Amino acid sequence: MSIIAEITLIAVVVSVACSLPGVFLVLRGTTMVSDAITHTVLLGIVLAFFITQDLNSPFLIIGATFMGVFTVWVIEALQRTKLLGDDAAIGIVFPLFFSVAIILITRYTGDIHLDQDTVLMGELAFAPFRRLTFFGVDIGARAFITMVIILLINAGFIALFYKELKVTTFDAAFAAAVGFSPILIYYGLMTLVSLTAVGAYDSVGSILVVGFMVGPGLTAYLLTNELKKMIGVTVLIAVINSIVGVRLAFILDSSIAGMIAVITGIVCFLAFTFSPTKGLIRNLLNRRKRQKKFDEKVKNVY
């Protein structure tokens, strides 16, 4: 397999893995919480590294996932005080945790391959060269294997708890009344977001994980009103964005993850503008029709 093909495959897996939980983040209106999680999990990685002194330790993923869930808990605790709004609580928590992580990295890990540029931007071009071996046998790129496992976990969780996710997303009060636990499902979803963010760090960095989580799901939301179709369209858009982004990045000699994020933004903007049901142009036409009908009614009255 060529390097370009392998990079494209890794990009597709990362994008799809991120976009699956992103569907429910978009529907729940909690995309900013995902932004906080994708940044604050870095503190979990750093603290776990200080304990294990091993960048390949699985405890880094555990620590980062725990920190993501802890971030959600702190944000909700601040929101429950009614002293801070939702955005204000997020705006306080995630810069605090993320800044502490950056300070620890720059101060104590100068001689270790754990730097702020890596965690912020990642680099897909290097992903195929970090191999995973099993009993001396090369089984593939580490990023690809990691993200395939996370993709299967995300897909399995959504398949297993599809009904619960659907009910708690659209009507949490009804879900509680029929015996579902909205809080449990919510924290399960946020655990997936944390785990996915950690896995995607090496490939695309913390900043671009947010775009991969939100962009395809938001685009699909603008194009369909049915949840199952939305999930399918989200996956399709994530795949297309990744393939086109990788090809353009090589043509233009630019950042691969950055180009995928640009394509994701452009596709989302096109859906926002031209969606046949929810697009800007459709809304303007509907508004004009309503105004015309109103003017005719007023004219008939007088």
Side-chain angles (χ1 to χ4, degrees), residues 243-255:
I243 294 173
V244 173
V246 171
R247 295 296 175 180
L248 283 179
F250 276 96
I251 292 173
L252 301 177
D253 191 23
S254 63
S255 166

Side-chain angles (χ1 to χ4, degrees), residues 205-226:
S206 64
I207 293 176
L208 297 175
V209 170
V210 182
F212 290 162
M213 282 190 176
V214 177
L218 182 56
T219 304
Y221 171 76
L222 292 168
L223 297 175
T224 182
N225 292 317
E226 186 178 332

Side-chain angles (χ1 to χ4, degrees), residues 69-144:
V69 176
F70 179 69
T71 299
V72 175
W73 181 83
V74 173
I75 290 172
E76 290 197 334
L78 290 175
Q79 292 170 351
R80 284 195 297 270
T81 65
K82 304 299 182 183
L83 298 176
L84 296 174
D86 294 355
D87 292 343
I90 295 171
I92 289 175
V93 173
F94 112 64
L96 172 63
F97 289 176
F98 188 61
S99 298
V100 170
I102 294 297
I103 291 171
L104 291 175
I105 289 174
T106 54
R107 179 65 179 84
Y108 296 107
T109 64
D111 57 342
I112 303 296
H113 183 61
L114 180 64
D115 57 83
Q116 59 267 37
D117 292 332
T118 299
V119 298
L120 286 173
M121 298 302 298
E123 185 48 72
L124 269 169
F126 296 147
F129 300 103
R130 294 190 286 269
R131 313 301 293 184
L132 186 65
T133 58
F134 187 72
F135 290 109
V137 179
D138 183 358
I139 59 175
R142 181 183 299 274
F144 175 74

Side-chain angles (χ1 to χ4, degrees), residues 7-269:
I7 290 173
T8 303
L9 189 59
I10 295 171
V12 167
V13 173
V14 172
S15 187
V16 173
C18 291
S19 68
L20 284 178
V23 170
F24 296 95
L25 295 177
V26 170
L27 292 174
R28 289 168 176 262
T30 55
T31 53
M32 287 305 297
V33 175
S34 72
D35 188 20
I37 290 175
T38 54
H39 286 76
T40 59
V41 291
L42 176 59
L43 181 56
I45 293 176
V46 175
L47 294 177
F49 171 74
F50 286 157
I51 296 173
T52 63
Q53 294 295 309
D54 182 8
L55 283 176
N56 296 318
S57 172
F59 287 105
L60 268 65
I61 295 179
I62 296 172
T65 303
F66 174 79
M67 182 57 64
V69 176
F70 179 69
T71 299
V72 175
W73 181 83
V74 173
I75 290 172
E76 290 197 334
L78 290 175
Q79 292 170 351
R80 284 195 297 270
T81 65
K82 304 299 182 183
L83 298 176
L84 296 174
D86 294 355
D87 292 343
I90 295 171
I92 289 175
V93 173
F94 112 64
L96 172 63
F97 289 176
F98 188 61
S99 298
V100 170
I102 294 297
I103 291 171
L104 291 175
I105 289 174
T106 54
R107 179 65 179 84
Y108 296 107
T109 64
D111 57 342
I112 303 296
H113 183 61
L114 180 64
D115 57 83
Q116 59 267 37
D117 292 332
T118 299
V119 298
L120 286 173
M121 298 302 298
E123 185 48 72
L124 269 169
F126 296 147
F129 300 103
R130 294 190 286 269
R131 313 301 293 184
L132 186 65
T133 58
F134 187 72
F135 290 109
V137 179
D138 183 358
I139 59 175
R142 181 183 299 274
F144 175 74
I145 301 298
T146 300
M147 291 311 299
V148 165
I149 294 172
I150 293 175
L151 172 58
L152 293 175
I153 292 173
N154 290 350
F157 181 85
I158 292 173
L160 188 61
F161 297 102
Y162 176 79
K163 181 170 61 176
E164 289 83 353
L165 283 166
K166 183 176 181 179
V167 175
T168 56
T169 296
F170 293 107
D171 195 339
F174 174 75
V178 298
F180 294 152
S181 175
I183 296 298
L184 188 61
I185 295 297
Y186 177 70
Y187 274 95
L189 178 63
M190 292 305 156
T191 301
L192 289 186
V193 172
S194 302
L195 181 63
T196 306
V198 179
Y201 258 9
D202 266 353
S203 303
V204 298
S206 64
I207 293 176
L208 297 175
V209 170
V210 182
F212 290 162
M213 282 190 176
V214 177
L218 182 56
T219 304
Y221 171 76
L222 292 168
L223 297 175
T224 182
N225 292 317
E226 186 178 332
L227 180 56
K228 286 185 178 180
K229 288 183 180 179
M230 182 177 172
I231 294 174
V233 173
T234 296
V235 171
L236 178 62
I237 291 172
V239 171
I240 294 174
N241 289 345
S242 298
I243 294 173
V244 173
V246 171
R247 295 296 175 180
L248 283 179
F250 276 96
I251 292 173
L252 301 177
D253 191 23
S254 63
S255 166
I256 299 173
M259 183 58 69
I260 298 173
V262 168
I263 297 300
T264 298
I266 291 174
V267 171
C268 187
F269 180 76

